mmCIF file of all heavy atoms in Angstrom:
data_model
loop_
_atom_site.group_PDB
_atom_site.id
_atom_site.type_symbol
_atom_site.label_atom_id
_atom_site.label_comp_id
_atom_site.label_asym_id
_atom_site.label_seq_id
_atom_site.Cartn_x
_atom_site.Cartn_y
_atom_site.Cartn_z
ATOM 1 N N PHE A 1 -80.838 -0.136 58.192
ATOM 2 C CA PHE A 1 -81.581 1.062 57.805
ATOM 3 C C PHE A 1 -80.766 1.981 56.887
ATOM 4 O O PHE A 1 -81.186 3.119 56.640
ATOM 5 C CB PHE A 1 -82.002 1.862 59.053
ATOM 6 C CG PHE A 1 -82.833 1.084 60.032
ATOM 7 C CD1 PHE A 1 -82.781 1.377 61.389
ATOM 8 C CD2 PHE A 1 -83.676 0.063 59.617
ATOM 9 C CE1 PHE A 1 -83.550 0.665 62.302
ATOM 10 C CE2 PHE A 1 -84.446 -0.650 60.521
ATOM 11 C CZ PHE A 1 -84.386 -0.349 61.871
ATOM 12 N N VAL A 2 -79.631 1.505 56.405
ATOM 13 C CA VAL A 2 -78.721 2.343 55.625
ATOM 14 C C VAL A 2 -78.626 1.823 54.187
ATOM 15 O O VAL A 2 -78.567 0.607 53.964
ATOM 16 C CB VAL A 2 -77.315 2.370 56.270
ATOM 17 C CG1 VAL A 2 -76.389 3.332 55.523
ATOM 18 C CG2 VAL A 2 -77.400 2.772 57.746
ATOM 19 N N TYR A 3 -78.600 2.751 53.224
ATOM 20 C CA TYR A 3 -78.571 2.391 51.803
ATOM 21 C C TYR A 3 -77.568 3.287 51.077
ATOM 22 O O TYR A 3 -77.473 4.487 51.358
ATOM 23 C CB TYR A 3 -79.964 2.567 51.174
ATOM 24 C CG TYR A 3 -81.072 2.019 52.018
ATOM 25 C CD1 TYR A 3 -81.719 2.826 52.969
ATOM 26 C CD2 TYR A 3 -81.491 0.700 51.904
ATOM 27 C CE1 TYR A 3 -82.728 2.324 53.764
ATOM 28 C CE2 TYR A 3 -82.501 0.185 52.702
ATOM 29 C CZ TYR A 3 -83.119 1.006 53.626
ATOM 30 O OH TYR A 3 -84.118 0.506 54.431
ATOM 31 N N LYS A 4 -76.842 2.709 50.134
ATOM 32 C CA LYS A 4 -75.884 3.497 49.356
ATOM 33 C C LYS A 4 -76.612 4.372 48.344
ATOM 34 O O LYS A 4 -77.588 3.956 47.733
ATOM 35 C CB LYS A 4 -74.899 2.569 48.641
ATOM 36 C CG LYS A 4 -73.934 1.875 49.592
ATOM 37 C CD LYS A 4 -72.926 1.009 48.841
ATOM 38 C CE LYS A 4 -71.979 0.311 49.820
ATOM 39 N NZ LYS A 4 -71.005 -0.571 49.119
ATOM 40 N N MET A 5 -76.098 5.583 48.174
ATOM 41 C CA MET A 5 -76.685 6.532 47.232
ATOM 42 C C MET A 5 -76.137 6.314 45.826
ATOM 43 O O MET A 5 -74.959 5.978 45.661
ATOM 44 C CB MET A 5 -76.346 7.972 47.653
ATOM 45 C CG MET A 5 -76.990 8.448 48.924
ATOM 46 S SD MET A 5 -76.266 10.014 49.514
ATOM 47 C CE MET A 5 -76.273 11.013 48.013
ATOM 48 N N PRO A 6 -76.956 6.520 44.795
ATOM 49 C CA PRO A 6 -76.430 6.543 43.427
ATOM 50 C C PRO A 6 -75.434 7.692 43.262
ATOM 51 O O PRO A 6 -75.536 8.721 43.943
ATOM 52 C CB PRO A 6 -77.689 6.785 42.573
ATOM 53 C CG PRO A 6 -78.832 6.362 43.441
ATOM 54 C CD PRO A 6 -78.419 6.661 44.844
ATOM 55 N N ASP A 7 -74.485 7.527 42.350
ATOM 56 C CA ASP A 7 -73.439 8.533 42.161
ATOM 57 C C ASP A 7 -74.000 9.896 41.778
ATOM 58 O O ASP A 7 -73.469 10.937 42.182
ATOM 59 C CB ASP A 7 -72.445 8.066 41.086
ATOM 60 C CG ASP A 7 -71.643 6.844 41.531
ATOM 61 O OD1 ASP A 7 -71.526 6.648 42.757
ATOM 62 O OD2 ASP A 7 -71.149 6.096 40.660
ATOM 63 N N GLU A 8 -75.077 9.913 40.989
ATOM 64 C CA GLU A 8 -75.617 11.176 40.499
ATOM 65 C C GLU A 8 -76.547 11.859 41.501
ATOM 66 O O GLU A 8 -76.933 13.013 41.303
ATOM 67 C CB GLU A 8 -76.373 10.942 39.184
ATOM 68 C CG GLU A 8 -75.491 10.472 38.043
ATOM 69 C CD GLU A 8 -76.280 10.304 36.764
ATOM 70 O OE1 GLU A 8 -77.494 10.623 36.754
ATOM 71 O OE2 GLU A 8 -75.698 9.860 35.763
ATOM 72 N N MET A 9 -76.915 11.177 42.564
ATOM 73 C CA MET A 9 -77.866 11.737 43.524
ATOM 74 C C MET A 9 -77.162 12.687 44.487
ATOM 75 O O MET A 9 -76.106 12.367 45.026
ATOM 76 C CB MET A 9 -78.551 10.608 44.306
ATOM 77 C CG MET A 9 -79.650 11.078 45.252
ATOM 78 S SD MET A 9 -80.460 9.691 46.124
ATOM 79 C CE MET A 9 -81.557 9.056 44.847
ATOM 80 N N THR A 10 -77.738 13.868 44.707
ATOM 81 C CA THR A 10 -77.185 14.820 45.665
ATOM 82 C C THR A 10 -77.656 14.473 47.076
ATOM 83 O O THR A 10 -78.618 13.726 47.265
ATOM 84 C CB THR A 10 -77.629 16.252 45.321
ATOM 85 O OG1 THR A 10 -79.048 16.359 45.518
ATOM 86 C CG2 THR A 10 -77.284 16.608 43.879
ATOM 87 N N PHE A 11 -76.994 15.048 48.072
ATOM 88 C CA PHE A 11 -77.391 14.777 49.455
ATOM 89 C C PHE A 11 -78.804 15.292 49.760
ATOM 90 O O PHE A 11 -79.587 14.586 50.414
ATOM 91 C CB PHE A 11 -76.373 15.366 50.431
ATOM 92 C CG PHE A 11 -75.063 14.621 50.447
ATOM 93 C CD1 PHE A 11 -73.893 15.220 50.014
ATOM 94 C CD2 PHE A 11 -75.005 13.306 50.881
ATOM 95 C CE1 PHE A 11 -72.680 14.534 50.023
ATOM 96 C CE2 PHE A 11 -73.805 12.597 50.900
ATOM 97 C CZ PHE A 11 -72.641 13.218 50.466
ATOM 98 N N PRO A 12 -79.190 16.496 49.320
ATOM 99 C CA PRO A 12 -80.585 16.916 49.538
ATOM 100 C C PRO A 12 -81.592 15.988 48.864
ATOM 101 O O PRO A 12 -82.641 15.687 49.437
ATOM 102 C CB PRO A 12 -80.626 18.330 48.942
ATOM 103 C CG PRO A 12 -79.222 18.826 49.046
ATOM 104 C CD PRO A 12 -78.374 17.621 48.787
ATOM 105 N N GLU A 13 -81.288 15.531 47.652
ATOM 106 C CA GLU A 13 -82.185 14.594 46.975
ATOM 107 C C GLU A 13 -82.312 13.297 47.758
ATOM 108 O O GLU A 13 -83.414 12.739 47.894
ATOM 109 C CB GLU A 13 -81.682 14.294 45.567
ATOM 110 C CG GLU A 13 -81.921 15.395 44.561
ATOM 111 C CD GLU A 13 -81.393 15.039 43.181
ATOM 112 O OE1 GLU A 13 -80.557 14.105 43.083
ATOM 113 O OE2 GLU A 13 -81.818 15.683 42.222
ATOM 114 N N ALA A 14 -81.198 12.813 48.295
ATOM 115 C CA ALA A 14 -81.226 11.562 49.063
ATOM 116 C C ALA A 14 -82.066 11.706 50.327
ATOM 117 O O ALA A 14 -82.815 10.798 50.700
ATOM 118 C CB ALA A 14 -79.804 11.137 49.419
ATOM 119 N N ALA A 15 -81.962 12.869 50.989
ATOM 120 C CA ALA A 15 -82.758 13.094 52.191
ATOM 121 C C ALA A 15 -84.242 13.236 51.859
ATOM 122 O O ALA A 15 -85.102 13.037 52.722
ATOM 123 C CB ALA A 15 -82.270 14.351 52.910
ATOM 124 N N ALA A 16 -84.540 13.578 50.609
ATOM 125 C CA ALA A 16 -85.929 13.700 50.167
ATOM 126 C C ALA A 16 -86.461 12.410 49.556
ATOM 127 O O ALA A 16 -87.638 12.329 49.209
ATOM 128 C CB ALA A 16 -86.046 14.832 49.136
ATOM 129 N N PHE A 17 -85.615 11.416 49.424
ATOM 130 C CA PHE A 17 -85.960 10.219 48.659
ATOM 131 C C PHE A 17 -86.525 9.091 49.512
ATOM 132 O O PHE A 17 -87.610 8.563 49.229
ATOM 133 C CB PHE A 17 -84.714 9.715 47.925
ATOM 134 C CG PHE A 17 -84.962 8.589 46.971
ATOM 135 C CD1 PHE A 17 -85.398 8.837 45.681
ATOM 136 C CD2 PHE A 17 -84.739 7.271 47.346
ATOM 137 C CE1 PHE A 17 -85.626 7.801 44.788
ATOM 138 C CE2 PHE A 17 -84.957 6.226 46.470
ATOM 139 C CZ PHE A 17 -85.406 6.493 45.176
ATOM 140 N N SER A 18 -85.798 8.720 50.544
ATOM 141 C CA SER A 18 -86.057 7.446 51.219
ATOM 142 C C SER A 18 -87.470 7.326 51.775
ATOM 143 O O SER A 18 -88.219 6.417 51.387
ATOM 144 C CB SER A 18 -85.020 7.213 52.329
ATOM 145 O OG SER A 18 -84.934 8.338 53.180
ATOM 146 N N LEU A 19 -87.877 8.206 52.657
ATOM 147 C CA LEU A 19 -89.177 8.037 53.302
ATOM 148 C C LEU A 19 -90.326 8.240 52.317
ATOM 149 O O LEU A 19 -91.259 7.442 52.257
ATOM 150 C CB LEU A 19 -89.298 9.006 54.482
ATOM 151 C CG LEU A 19 -90.413 8.707 55.496
ATOM 152 C CD1 LEU A 19 -90.011 9.201 56.874
ATOM 153 C CD2 LEU A 19 -91.730 9.336 55.091
ATOM 154 N N ASN A 20 -90.249 9.305 51.517
ATOM 155 C CA ASN A 20 -91.358 9.635 50.618
ATOM 156 C C ASN A 20 -91.575 8.576 49.545
ATOM 157 O O ASN A 20 -92.701 8.133 49.304
ATOM 158 C CB ASN A 20 -91.112 10.985 49.944
ATOM 159 C CG ASN A 20 -91.276 12.140 50.908
ATOM 160 O OD1 ASN A 20 -91.727 11.963 52.034
ATOM 161 N ND2 ASN A 20 -90.902 13.327 50.490
ATOM 162 N N PHE A 21 -90.507 8.162 48.875
ATOM 163 C CA PHE A 21 -90.670 7.231 47.767
ATOM 164 C C PHE A 21 -90.943 5.806 48.243
ATOM 165 O O PHE A 21 -91.712 5.082 47.608
ATOM 166 C CB PHE A 21 -89.446 7.275 46.839
ATOM 167 C CG PHE A 21 -89.551 8.340 45.794
ATOM 168 C CD1 PHE A 21 -89.035 9.603 46.019
ATOM 169 C CD2 PHE A 21 -90.192 8.098 44.579
ATOM 170 C CE1 PHE A 21 -89.145 10.600 45.064
ATOM 171 C CE2 PHE A 21 -90.301 9.084 43.613
ATOM 172 C CZ PHE A 21 -89.785 10.343 43.857
ATOM 173 N N VAL A 22 -90.336 5.399 49.339
ATOM 174 C CA VAL A 22 -90.621 4.062 49.862
ATOM 175 C C VAL A 22 -92.082 3.978 50.306
ATOM 176 O O VAL A 22 -92.784 3.001 50.011
ATOM 177 C CB VAL A 22 -89.673 3.687 51.014
ATOM 178 C CG1 VAL A 22 -90.128 2.394 51.683
ATOM 179 C CG2 VAL A 22 -88.248 3.525 50.502
ATOM 180 N N ALA A 23 -92.570 5.004 51.016
ATOM 181 C CA ALA A 23 -93.972 5.008 51.451
ATOM 182 C C ALA A 23 -94.908 4.993 50.252
ATOM 183 O O ALA A 23 -95.876 4.223 50.211
ATOM 184 C CB ALA A 23 -94.243 6.234 52.327
ATOM 185 N N ALA A 24 -94.629 5.846 49.257
ATOM 186 C CA ALA A 24 -95.492 5.915 48.071
ATOM 187 C C ALA A 24 -95.505 4.588 47.323
ATOM 188 O O ALA A 24 -96.570 4.096 46.921
ATOM 189 C CB ALA A 24 -95.013 7.044 47.149
ATOM 190 N N TYR A 25 -94.329 3.988 47.148
ATOM 191 C CA TYR A 25 -94.234 2.715 46.411
ATOM 192 C C TYR A 25 -94.990 1.602 47.138
ATOM 193 O O TYR A 25 -95.756 0.853 46.519
ATOM 194 C CB TYR A 25 -92.771 2.319 46.231
ATOM 195 C CG TYR A 25 -92.580 1.097 45.353
ATOM 196 C CD1 TYR A 25 -92.262 1.236 44.009
ATOM 197 C CD2 TYR A 25 -92.730 -0.194 45.860
ATOM 198 C CE1 TYR A 25 -92.095 0.123 43.191
ATOM 199 C CE2 TYR A 25 -92.576 -1.306 45.069
ATOM 200 C CZ TYR A 25 -92.254 -1.142 43.724
ATOM 201 O OH TYR A 25 -92.107 -2.254 42.916
ATOM 202 N N MET A 26 -94.796 1.507 48.435
ATOM 203 C CA MET A 26 -95.411 0.406 49.171
ATOM 204 C C MET A 26 -96.929 0.540 49.216
ATOM 205 O O MET A 26 -97.658 -0.453 49.136
ATOM 206 C CB MET A 26 -94.810 0.307 50.576
ATOM 207 C CG MET A 26 -93.332 -0.032 50.558
ATOM 208 S SD MET A 26 -92.657 -0.468 52.170
ATOM 209 C CE MET A 26 -93.278 -2.141 52.350
ATOM 210 N N MET A 27 -97.421 1.766 49.337
ATOM 211 C CA MET A 27 -98.871 1.950 49.324
ATOM 212 C C MET A 27 -99.458 1.590 47.964
ATOM 213 O O MET A 27 -100.482 0.897 47.880
ATOM 214 C CB MET A 27 -99.223 3.389 49.698
ATOM 215 C CG MET A 27 -99.030 3.705 51.165
ATOM 216 S SD MET A 27 -99.713 5.307 51.658
ATOM 217 C CE MET A 27 -98.634 6.447 50.805
ATOM 218 N N LEU A 28 -98.810 2.040 46.900
ATOM 219 C CA LEU A 28 -99.341 1.798 45.560
ATOM 220 C C LEU A 28 -99.240 0.336 45.139
ATOM 221 O O LEU A 28 -100.202 -0.245 44.619
ATOM 222 C CB LEU A 28 -98.607 2.677 44.542
ATOM 223 C CG LEU A 28 -98.906 4.175 44.567
ATOM 224 C CD1 LEU A 28 -97.958 4.916 43.635
ATOM 225 C CD2 LEU A 28 -100.359 4.451 44.174
ATOM 226 N N PHE A 29 -98.069 -0.264 45.368
ATOM 227 C CA PHE A 29 -97.802 -1.582 44.786
ATOM 228 C C PHE A 29 -97.914 -2.744 45.772
ATOM 229 O O PHE A 29 -98.320 -3.836 45.395
ATOM 230 C CB PHE A 29 -96.420 -1.584 44.126
ATOM 231 C CG PHE A 29 -96.301 -0.617 42.994
ATOM 232 C CD1 PHE A 29 -95.644 0.587 43.161
ATOM 233 C CD2 PHE A 29 -96.860 -0.892 41.751
ATOM 234 C CE1 PHE A 29 -95.534 1.497 42.114
ATOM 235 C CE2 PHE A 29 -96.765 0.001 40.695
ATOM 236 C CZ PHE A 29 -96.102 1.208 40.884
ATOM 237 N N GLU A 30 -97.555 -2.521 47.028
ATOM 238 C CA GLU A 30 -97.619 -3.598 48.008
ATOM 239 C C GLU A 30 -99.008 -3.711 48.636
ATOM 240 O O GLU A 30 -99.495 -4.817 48.897
ATOM 241 C CB GLU A 30 -96.580 -3.375 49.114
ATOM 242 C CG GLU A 30 -95.135 -3.341 48.636
ATOM 243 C CD GLU A 30 -94.619 -4.702 48.209
ATOM 244 O OE1 GLU A 30 -95.202 -5.716 48.639
ATOM 245 O OE2 GLU A 30 -93.644 -4.741 47.436
ATOM 246 N N VAL A 31 -99.646 -2.573 48.893
ATOM 247 C CA VAL A 31 -100.954 -2.587 49.554
ATOM 248 C C VAL A 31 -102.092 -2.569 48.539
ATOM 249 O O VAL A 31 -103.010 -3.391 48.592
ATOM 250 C CB VAL A 31 -101.090 -1.394 50.530
ATOM 251 C CG1 VAL A 31 -102.455 -1.427 51.227
ATOM 252 C CG2 VAL A 31 -99.972 -1.408 51.559
ATOM 253 N N ALA A 32 -102.043 -1.618 47.579
ATOM 254 C CA ALA A 32 -103.176 -1.425 46.667
ATOM 255 C C ALA A 32 -103.035 -2.167 45.336
ATOM 256 O O ALA A 32 -103.976 -2.203 44.554
ATOM 257 C CB ALA A 32 -103.375 0.059 46.402
ATOM 258 N N ASN A 33 -101.860 -2.731 45.069
ATOM 259 C CA ASN A 33 -101.642 -3.522 43.847
ATOM 260 C C ASN A 33 -101.987 -2.730 42.576
ATOM 261 O O ASN A 33 -102.785 -3.153 41.740
ATOM 262 C CB ASN A 33 -102.469 -4.809 43.903
ATOM 263 C CG ASN A 33 -102.039 -5.818 42.850
ATOM 264 O OD1 ASN A 33 -100.917 -5.760 42.339
ATOM 265 N ND2 ASN A 33 -102.920 -6.741 42.515
ATOM 266 N N LEU A 34 -101.349 -1.566 42.427
ATOM 267 C CA LEU A 34 -101.570 -0.715 41.256
ATOM 268 C C LEU A 34 -101.191 -1.443 39.972
ATOM 269 O O LEU A 34 -100.124 -2.043 39.873
ATOM 270 C CB LEU A 34 -100.733 0.563 41.385
ATOM 271 C CG LEU A 34 -100.816 1.548 40.211
ATOM 272 C CD1 LEU A 34 -102.215 2.123 40.072
ATOM 273 C CD2 LEU A 34 -99.778 2.654 40.385
ATOM 274 N N ARG A 35 -102.098 -1.357 38.987
ATOM 275 C CA ARG A 35 -101.855 -2.003 37.691
ATOM 276 C C ARG A 35 -102.277 -1.066 36.559
ATOM 277 O O ARG A 35 -102.907 -0.022 36.801
ATOM 278 C CB ARG A 35 -102.640 -3.318 37.594
ATOM 279 C CG ARG A 35 -102.269 -4.337 38.653
ATOM 280 C CD ARG A 35 -103.029 -5.652 38.486
ATOM 281 N NE ARG A 35 -104.469 -5.504 38.479
ATOM 282 C CZ ARG A 35 -105.208 -5.338 39.566
ATOM 283 N NH1 ARG A 35 -104.635 -5.279 40.763
ATOM 284 N NH2 ARG A 35 -106.530 -5.246 39.469
#
C-alpha cells in the first residue's frame, strides 16, 4: 500500500493525491472506458 513520491511533490500534495486520483482514474478508464 506504499508508493514513492516524485521529487517535486510536496507532502500535502501527496496526501491529496493517492485516494482521489486513483479513484477518479479507475472509474473513468477501468470501469467506464473513457475515450
Side-chain angles (χ1 to χ4, degrees):
F1 303 150
V2 184
Y3 315 90
K4 290 183 181 178
M5 292 168 48
D7 293 337
E8 295 182 4
M9 185 179 282
T10 67
F11 288 114
E13 284 180 342
F17 187 84
S18 51
L19 196 150
N20 288 351
F21 273 92
V22 171
Y25 186 98
M26 296 191 77
M27 287 190 292
L28 288 172
F29 298 103
E30 299 289 339
V31 181
N33 194 21
L34 178 65
R35 300 182 304 281

